[in-house]
Amino acid sequence: FELICHQADATKEHRNYVAAYGEALADYREGRFAAAKAKWMRPAEENQSEASPSAIMARRAAAFITEPPAGTWDGIFVRSSK
């Protein structure tokens, strides 16, 4: 989860970001990694931070495009290195 702002202070841009992130997360959990990556790349590029949640999730989706999860995937990412 990412703290963006107090709900009462949310702008249209904030609400659009949250909606797009949710759509990308749904794609990711369903194994549609290319679609998820594309949706996460937009805010990641705007934020220009490699540590933003969108950038991190875009990298995870890209990794799964290259090497899909084995077997039946439950949508959970297991970190394999530190």
Side-chain angles (χ1 to χ4, degrees), residues 3-73:
L3 181 61
I4 298 172
C5 67
H6 191 278
Q7 187 173 5
D9 299 327
T11 64
K12 181 179 178 181
E13 289 78 19
H14 291 129
R15 294 180 200 284
N16 289 342
Y17 170 79
V18 170
Y21 191 96
E23 290 173 12
L25 188 58
D27 285 335
Y28 177 82
R29 289 179 174 159
E30 291 296 320
R32 296 185 296 265
F33 303 118
K37 178 186 172 200
K39 290 173 184 170
W40 276 319
M41 285 304 296
R42 279 180 250 129
E45 289 169 351
E46 290 171 11
N47 190 349
Q48 296 182 344
S49 169
E50 291 185 23
S52 74
S54 294
I56 291 166
M57 294 304 289
R59 285 194 302 275
R60 288 180 185 174
F64 282 140
I65 291 168
T66 304
E67 189 174 329
T72 304
W73 187 58

